[in-house]
Amino acid sequence: MSFKDKVVIVTGSSSGIGAATAKLFAREGAKVTLVGRNVNKLKNIERECTELGGVQPLTIVADVSKDEEAKAIVQKTVEHHGKLDVLVNNAGIGSFSSILDTNYMTEFDRIITTNLRAVVVTTNAALPHLIQSKGNIINISSISGVCPTPAMSHYCTSKAALDHFSRSIAAEVASKGVRVNIVSPGPVKTDITHTMGISDEQVEIMGKSTPLGFLIKSEEVGELVLYLASSKAKSITGSTFVIDVGSTLQGITSSLEILK
Ligand SMILES: NC(=O)c1ccc[n+]([C@@H]2O[C@H](COP(=O)([O-])OP(=O)(O)OC[C@H]3O[C@@H](n4cnc5c(N)ncnc54)[C@H](OP(=O)(O)O)[C@@H]3O)[C@@H](O)[C@H]2O)c1
């Protein structure tokens, strides 16, 4: 799957799934735009991408929850590379907040702005360029978009809305030659668990409690993204690809029981 001369934006590529995906694209020759807020982490991924693919990525330090910064990611990429072929909307955050919490709405807005609104902003800015290149979009959702999870209704809602946004725009832009697909992971071993206050021990137990008995690696999610972005998937649009070590077979609520 060569992506030589293809221009690819991966948001949230300073760590986890985004970093792994960016490195896989770089290895296949793509001109990658890295996006995140943590400069040091981005610089490390930039170096690794260059070593893997030979093409130095464009690194953009941006907070996608701010509309102007999210829009500028697309503008700067097109200014730098002259076009855009693939947009991977991956940047996302999670947290625990009960609907009974007094500050629930603050947390709801924070999650929705990053996980949903930012995707809409970058997509809106990117589509004219993707129509020109007959490119495609891959949105990183979550099985939480279909599996209700206590104390994560804000996150679940952001991903459910992202799923339907993706399908709706897939229907709208198909006639223009642009594909839009969704990758929905179950539990992946990344920094997100740390930022959500989940301990390493709890993460390990969570992995053991999945039907297949382990956690997903970021690279596995990245491989799926590359497949969907490639011409091998030219007949696929508006589809959701689940990678979840079987978690939806049992409902993720049971694997989160350990966090109580
Ligand atoms: N890990 C899982 O179990 C799992 C399961 C299902 C779905 N997902 C989804 O996978 C995606 C990636 O998460 P991950 O697990 O790889 O977590 P991660 O390691 O914490 O990575 C999240 C990435 O998003 C970036 N990000 C977050 N907020 C941002 C903002 N406001 N502006 C710019 N960048 C921002 C972070 O960069 P900076 O910190 O540098 O800003 C980081 O690069 C998310 O959409 C998440 O919902 C993860």
Side-chain angles (χ1 to χ4, degrees), residues 71-248:
K71 260 191 250 172
I73 295 163
V74 175
Q75 286 159 1
K76 285 178 186 170
T77 299
V78 174
E79 268 166 32
H80 190 80
H81 289 302
K83 62 167 184 160
L84 176 64
D85 296 291
V86 179
L87 171 65
V88 182
N89 285 307
N90 164 78
I93 49 173
S95 70
F96 295 108
S97 184
S98 165
I99 185 63
L100 303 173
D101 289 349
T102 47
N103 71 341
Y104 178 80
M105 286 316 300
T106 307
E107 205 46 23
F108 181 86
D109 285 344
R110 194 174 74 88
I111 296 285
I112 294 286
T113 306
T114 300
N115 293 4
L116 181 62
R117 185 180 172 89
V119 174
V120 179
V121 174
T122 52
T123 299
N124 179 255
L127 271 171
H129 305 288
L130 293 172
I131 288 169
Q132 268 189 359
S133 65
K134 306 271 183 245
N136 68 85
I137 300 174
I138 291 119
N139 289 331
I140 307 301
S141 184
S142 166
I143 56 170
S144 298
V146 288
C147 299
T149 314
M152 289 187 73
S153 58
H154 52 339
Y155 182 80
C156 295
T157 302
S158 74
K159 294 301 188 179
L162 175 63
D163 291 351
H164 209 54
F165 171 71
S166 308
R167 286 187 291 267
S168 302
I169 63 162
E172 192 170 335
V173 298
S175 62
K176 304 196 183 299
V178 177
R179 298 183 297 110
V180 183
N181 288 295
I182 304 159
V183 169
S184 261
V188 188
K189 196 167 171 17
T190 69
D191 289 355
I192 206 168
T193 45
H194 292 146
T195 53
M196 290 173 71
I198 303 172
S199 71
D200 287 347
E201 194 189 2
Q202 286 172 317
V203 170
E204 200 179 320
I205 298 168
M206 197 190 285
K208 284 188 181 140
S209 70
T210 67
L212 286 177
F214 52 84
L215 294 170
I216 304 150
K217 291 197 174 111
S218 293
E219 292 70 24
E220 296 173 73
V221 182
E223 295 283 6
L224 201 44
V225 172
L226 261 71
Y227 168 72
L228 287 170
S230 77
S231 57
K232 288 188 182 190
K234 68 179 170 48
S235 307
I236 302 174
T237 194
S239 290
T240 303
F241 280 65
V242 173
I243 171 167
D244 73 344
V245 278
S247 296
T248 42

